[in-house]
């Protein structure tokens, strides 16, 4: 047993637990090594205190039981606690619902990260539970983790290749601690449970740094937390491996090397638009050109490219940043998304004045992007003059090569997909095996609808043609629709007809 009246405790050890926390829980750190901390705690409260301090420090905590007089004396000696401090702490203890509120108010934040997790934390601890949830998601290649509290339990789901899968349920008695742990790691205000919050976590997994965006949202049964995993090692920046058909790839590569004009990528959220743009920028990245982006948020950092984050709260919007970028002598500009008429107008005029501009829109297909710009107030003749190419894209799950199996499509499938055009080809469906975690799919591939604006289409756009007329003319001149591109993948057994139906329309 340590004699608290005579022990010497270094300032480094004392700094591990701030004065307010030590006072509120009547604890004194005695010693620390790489993975564990020894504390003095009140007699009878050792186990409970160990668990709570271990939860936030991410270290194994052991304790020695001491009398209240011994601990109070040590607090006076080592933390210079006054009698007024003791009196205030007694009042405050009546209002403390959990240690997280005390620690947050004391300035502790994210002492540990996943790469520093203790190996010997008890199996049921919140630290190990959260670390395992995140680490397992990264190893499985998940893009998102959904932590969802409900009336009787908390559900954990991973988004794998674009589809959510339930992984486990956590009892309600641990749910609150899991959410608090995630908020601490993301350096969010854990006392604030009524408003949405956003934060970031950086972890090391298998020797690589991974950024995680964290978003919280109040619900009926507590805060839902969604974690977006940004694993740069999974980022595919080789245009040849994204899913382009060979003729479309050559056309796209020619277009992105034009000296000026606009290239648009359209599709719903999560369809891979940013990856396509990043791959295009990487393909043309050269020391001889100035490439600048404005994004919300910056998904990945690209070497040799100037990337700017939108910050609406201080006036750095897409349109404001775009104006500033134009004064930075750019050759190539990427605007993360055209959301309003002001941004559209500036981007179009930049494309007409000697800049190559890349951006995204939320439309269902390529021809609709033309009418969307016009609806935003851009004159049709300006759209016709500036836009060089529009890509619509979707992501299809790839069949697991180890367990996919051939099957005969049903008459309804043949009719709906018009499979007579595909000839007597074999089609495959998912099965499931250990290699793909019994999902039947492993990885995703993009399919593209490529609309090149030639002279004929330009004239139609300038005369305010409808999206259906533009589509009809483009198909007559060889444009491959999203459905057609997806069927080509299915005919090559890269994906299933179920995926074609799920992601594309006729």
């Amino acid at each position: 047993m340590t004699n608290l009246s005579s022990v010497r405790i270094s300032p480094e050890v004392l700094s591990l637990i701030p004065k307010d926390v030590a006072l509120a829980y009547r604890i004194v750190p005695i010693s620390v090594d790489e993975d564990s901390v020894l504390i003095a705690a009140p007699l009878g409260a050792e186990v409970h205190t160990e668990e709570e301090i271990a939860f936030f420090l991410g270290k194994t905590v052991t304790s020695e039981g001491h009398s209240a007089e011994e601990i109070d004396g040590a607090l006076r000696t080592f933390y210079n606690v006054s009698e007024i401090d003791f009196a205030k702490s007694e009042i405050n203890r009546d209002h403390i619902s959990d240690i997280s509120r005390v620690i947050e108010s004391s300035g502790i934040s994210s002492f540990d990260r996943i790469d520093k997790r203790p190996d010997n934390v008890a199996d049921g601890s919140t630290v190990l539970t959260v670390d395992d949830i995140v680490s397992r998601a990264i190893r499985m290649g998940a893009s998102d983790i959904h932590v969802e509290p409900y009336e009787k339990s908390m559900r954990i789901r991973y988004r794998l290749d674009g589809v959510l899968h339930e992984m486990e349920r956590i009892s309600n008695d641990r749910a609150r601690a899991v959410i608090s742990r995630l908020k601490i790691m993301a350096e969010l205000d854990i006392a604030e449970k009524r408003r949405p919050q956003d934060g970031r976590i950086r972890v090391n997994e298998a020797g690589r740094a991974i950024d995680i965006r964290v978003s919280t949202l109040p619900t009926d049964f507590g805060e839902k937390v969604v974690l977006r995993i940004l694993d740069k090692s999974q980022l595919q920046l080789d245009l040849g491996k994204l899913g382009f058909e060979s003729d479309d790839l050559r056309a796209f590569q020619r277009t992105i090397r034009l000296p000026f004009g606009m290239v648009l990528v359209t599709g719903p959220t999560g369809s891979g638009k940013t990856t396509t743009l990043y791959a295009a920028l990487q393909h043309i990245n050269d020391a001889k050109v100035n490439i600048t982006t404005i994004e919300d948020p910056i998904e990945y950092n690209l070497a040799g490219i100037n990337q700017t984050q939108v910050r609406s709260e201080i006036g750095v919007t897409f349109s404001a940043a775009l104006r500033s970028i134009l004064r930075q002598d750019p050759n190539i500009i990427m605007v993360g998304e055209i959301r309003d008429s002001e941004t559209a107008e500036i981007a179009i005029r930049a494309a007409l004045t000697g800049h190559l501009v890349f951006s995204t829109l939320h439309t269902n297909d390529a021809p609709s992007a033309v009418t969307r710009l016009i609806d935003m107030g851009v004159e049709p003749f300006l759209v016709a003059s500036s836009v060089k190419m529009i890509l619509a894209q979707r992501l299809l799950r790839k069949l697991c090569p180890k367990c996919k199996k051939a099957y005969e499509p049903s008459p309804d499938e043949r009719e709906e997909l018009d499979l007579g055009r595909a000839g007597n080809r074999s089609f495959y469906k998912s099965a499931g095996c250990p290699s793909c975690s019994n999902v039947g799919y492993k990885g995703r591939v993009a399919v593209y609808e490529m609309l090149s604006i030639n002279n004929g289409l330009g004239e139609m756009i300038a005369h305010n043609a409808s999206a259906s007329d533009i589509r009809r003319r483009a198909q007559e001149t060889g444009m491959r629709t999203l459905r057609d591109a997806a069927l080509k993948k299915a005919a090559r057994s890269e994906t299933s007809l179920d995926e074609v139906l799920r992601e594309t329309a006729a």
Side-chain angles (χ1 to χ4, degrees), residues 344-403:
E345 188 75 29
I346 300 169
I348 289 285
R349 294 199 177 277
L352 291 171
T353 55
H355 306 89
L356 183 60
V357 179
F358 294 88
S359 192
T360 71
L361 279 174
H362 286 288
T363 63
N364 290 325
D365 56 27
S368 297
V370 172
T371 53
R372 175 71 177 130
L373 287 174
I374 294 171
D375 289 344
M376 284 183 171
V378 181
E379 292 291 343
F381 75 90
L382 291 177
V383 176
S385 303
S386 60
V387 179
K388 303 301 180 184
M389 178 176 283
I390 303 172
L391 291 181
Q393 75 174 79
R394 298 292 189 276
L395 292 177
L396 304 181
R397 291 185 294 172
K398 294 194 293 186
L399 286 166
C400 174
K402 294 186 177 180
C403 65

Side-chain angles (χ1 to χ4, degrees), residues 294-451:
I294 174 69
E295 305 173 57
D296 183 25
I298 295 172
E299 298 279 358
Y300 298 95
N301 296 118
L302 303 177
I305 293 175
N306 308 291
Q307 295 173 266
T308 300
Q309 168 77 48
V310 166
R311 299 189 186 279
S312 301
E313 67 277 8
I314 58 172
V316 183
T317 60
F318 276 115
S319 56
L322 187 49
R323 286 195 185 90
S324 297
I325 287 172
L326 290 171
R327 294 192 288 269
Q328 289 279 312
D329 186 31
N331 300 102
I332 300 164
I333 303 168
M334 188 191 96
V335 182
E337 182 184 343
I338 295 178
R339 296 177 178 172
D340 53 61
S341 57
E342 186 178 14
T343 305
E345 188 75 29
I346 300 169
I348 289 285
R349 294 199 177 277
L352 291 171
T353 55
H355 306 89
L356 183 60
V357 179
F358 294 88
S359 192
T360 71
L361 279 174
H362 286 288
T363 63
N364 290 325
D365 56 27
S368 297
V370 172
T371 53
R372 175 71 177 130
L373 287 174
I374 294 171
D375 289 344
M376 284 183 171
V378 181
E379 292 291 343
F381 75 90
L382 291 177
V383 176
S385 303
S386 60
V387 179
K388 303 301 180 184
M389 178 176 283
I390 303 172
L391 291 181
Q393 75 174 79
R394 298 292 189 276
L395 292 177
L396 304 181
R397 291 185 294 172
K398 294 194 293 186
L399 286 166
C400 174
K402 294 186 177 180
C403 65
K404 65 182 179 182
K405 59 183 181 180
Y407 88 111
E408 180 64 28
S410 68
D412 287 343
E413 287 176 318
R414 287 192 171 277
E415 181 180 355
E416 184 172 358
L417 294 170
D418 193 13
L419 295 183
R421 294 179 300 164
N424 294 322
R425 290 183 177 273
S426 296
F427 291 94
Y428 288 75
K429 66 188 303 182
S430 62
C433 67
S435 177
C436 60
S437 301
N438 293 312
V439 174
Y441 298 92
K442 198 169 186 179
R444 288 190 289 179
V445 64
V447 289
Y448 296 93
E449 178 177 278
M450 180 176 290
L451 178 63

Side-chain angles (χ1 to χ4, degrees), residues 467-487:
S468 59
D469 288 340
I470 294 171
R471 167 176 287 278
R472 190 179 306 110
R473 178 64 175 272
Q475 287 182 266
E476 289 171 357
T477 57
M479 184 186 79
R480 186 182 295 111
T481 66
L482 284 167
R483 171 63 60 86
D484 290 338
L487 282 172

Side-chain angles (χ1 to χ4, degrees), residues 135-433:
S135 182
R136 186 155 43 108
I138 293 170
R139 292 196 305 271
M140 293 179 69
S143 61
D144 302 86
I145 304 170
H146 289 240
V147 181
E148 303 166 313
Y150 292 101
E151 184 175 9
K152 296 182 179 179
S153 65
M154 172 182 281
R155 179 171 67 174
I156 307 296
R157 293 191 291 171
Y158 293 170
R159 189 176 292 280
L160 301 168
D161 295 327
V163 177
L164 284 167
H165 299 269
E166 182 172 331
M167 305 307 293
E168 62 179 296
R169 293 266 178 168
I170 294 175
S171 61
N172 273 345
D173 59 341
R174 298 173 61 202
R176 179 179 173 185
V178 167
I179 291 173
S180 293
R181 171 67 177 169
L182 287 168
K183 291 174 72 175
I184 283 290
M185 292 173 70
E187 299 184 357
L188 301 178
D189 181 356
I190 59 176
E192 177 56 76
K193 297 177 173 63
R194 299 167 301 170
R195 296 185 178 90
Q197 297 185 69
D198 296 297
R200 296 183 82 94
I201 301 171
R202 171 161 284 193
V203 303
N204 285 323
E205 181 67 34
R208 64 186 191 274
I210 295 172
D211 284 321
I212 300 175
R213 290 208 315 265
V214 181
S215 172
T216 71
L217 182 71
T219 70
D220 276 354
F221 299 105
E223 292 175 283
K224 175 180 177 178
V225 183
V226 175
L227 298 90
R228 167 62 57 88
I229 300 170
L230 303 174
D231 186 353
K232 195 168 185 178
S233 68
Q234 301 298 313
L235 183 62
Q236 178 56 262
L237 296 181
D238 185 343
L239 281 177
K241 296 180 180 179
L242 293 184
F244 283 101
E245 299 297 331
S246 57
D247 54 342
D248 285 345
L249 177 60
R250 289 191 295 271
F252 186 61
Q253 289 174 329
R254 286 195 301 270
T255 302
I256 64 176
R257 290 196 175 278
L258 292 173
F260 59 87
M262 177 178 281
V263 176
L264 291 172
V265 182
T266 78
T269 300
S271 60
K273 300 187 297 296
T274 300
T275 299
T276 296
L277 288 179
Y278 278 176
L281 294 179
Q282 190 74 4
H283 187 75
I284 58 179
N285 189 10
D286 189 277
K288 297 176 183 177
V289 294
N290 176 15
I291 303 177
T292 305
T293 75
I294 174 69
E295 305 173 57
D296 183 25
I298 295 172
E299 298 279 358
Y300 298 95
N301 296 118
L302 303 177
I305 293 175
N306 308 291
Q307 295 173 266
T308 300
Q309 168 77 48
V310 166
R311 299 189 186 279
S312 301
E313 67 277 8
I314 58 172
V316 183
T317 60
F318 276 115
S319 56
L322 187 49
R323 286 195 185 90
S324 297
I325 287 172
L326 290 171
R327 294 192 288 269
Q328 289 279 312
D329 186 31
N331 300 102
I332 300 164
I333 303 168
M334 188 191 96
V335 182
E337 182 184 343
I338 295 178
R339 296 177 178 172
D340 53 61
S341 57
E342 186 178 14
T343 305
E345 188 75 29
I346 300 169
I348 289 285
R349 294 199 177 277
L352 291 171
T353 55
H355 306 89
L356 183 60
V357 179
F358 294 88
S359 192
T360 71
L361 279 174
H362 286 288
T363 63
N364 290 325
D365 56 27
S368 297
V370 172
T371 53
R372 175 71 177 130
L373 287 174
I374 294 171
D375 289 344
M376 284 183 171
V378 181
E379 292 291 343
F381 75 90
L382 291 177
V383 176
S385 303
S386 60
V387 179
K388 303 301 180 184
M389 178 176 283
I390 303 172
L391 291 181
Q393 75 174 79
R394 298 292 189 276
L395 292 177
L396 304 181
R397 291 185 294 172
K398 294 194 293 186
L399 286 166
C400 174
K402 294 186 177 180
C403 65
K404 65 182 179 182
K405 59 183 181 180
Y407 88 111
E408 180 64 28
S410 68
D412 287 343
E413 287 176 318
R414 287 192 171 277
E415 181 180 355
E416 184 172 358
L417 294 170
D418 193 13
L419 295 183
R421 294 179 300 164
N424 294 322
R425 290 183 177 273
S426 296
F427 291 94
Y428 288 75
K429 66 188 303 182
S430 62
C433 67

